[in-house]
Every structure is written in C-alpha cells, then in structure tokens.
Amino acid sequence: HMQESSDVVFSPDGRTLASLGQNESLKLWHLATLRQVVSLNEPRAGLWGRFSPDGGKLAFESNTNMVTILLAPSN
C-alpha cells in the first residue's frame, strides 16, 4: 500500500498475509516469496479482515459497517 493500512491478518496456515489499505484496497501476499498475489481496488475494504478457519475465505468490514466475504486464492 502506498498509504496506511487499516488492518493486516495472517491466514491460518501462515502462508498468506492480507492487508487492507485506507485507500480502499485489499492485497494478499505470499509470505514465502514476499510476492503480491492479489490486488483489488475494493471500495468496501477498510476496517478489518479475518480469514475463515480453513483459510478458504476472507471476510472484511467496510467503514459503512458492511461485511464482504471473498474466496481466498490458494497458494
């Protein structure tokens, strides 16, 4: 992110990091290679994110109190 992140969260297996930017973006990072694997301009991203226990989904809340659930890519 070029600006501040509002939240970062690790996947349950520790291989992926999700970061939510205050500039309304969502990024997923593969930690072993330090490569960005997903970058979304997501107007609803912003406050917090959580992976499901199996790591297959990522939920995030917006500053409008709306929760969105995405399928998380497998590494």
Side-chain angles (χ1 to χ4, degrees):
H1 299 285
M2 299 303 289
Q3 298 175 5
E4 291 182 36
S5 292
S6 54
D7 195 16
V8 293
V9 61
F10 290 94
S11 64
D13 65 8
R15 294 189 295 176
T16 305
L17 176 74
S19 60
L20 293 115
Q22 291 183 348
N23 61 345
E24 302 178 339
S25 63
L26 170 69
K27 296 181 186 289
L28 296 180
W29 307 86
H30 183 250
L31 293 174
T33 61
L34 301 177
R35 295 186 73 193
Q36 181 179 297
V37 293
V38 171
S39 179
L40 298 174
N41 289 326
E42 182 57 59
R44 295 177 304 244
L47 296 181
W48 58 261
R50 298 292 180 269
F51 279 97
S52 62
D54 68 358
K57 295 180 182 76
L58 176 66
F60 57 90
E61 183 182 12
S62 72
N63 51 10
T64 60
N65 297 324
M66 193 163 111
V67 175
T68 301
I69 300 173
L70 299 175
L71 293 177
S74 58
N75 293 329

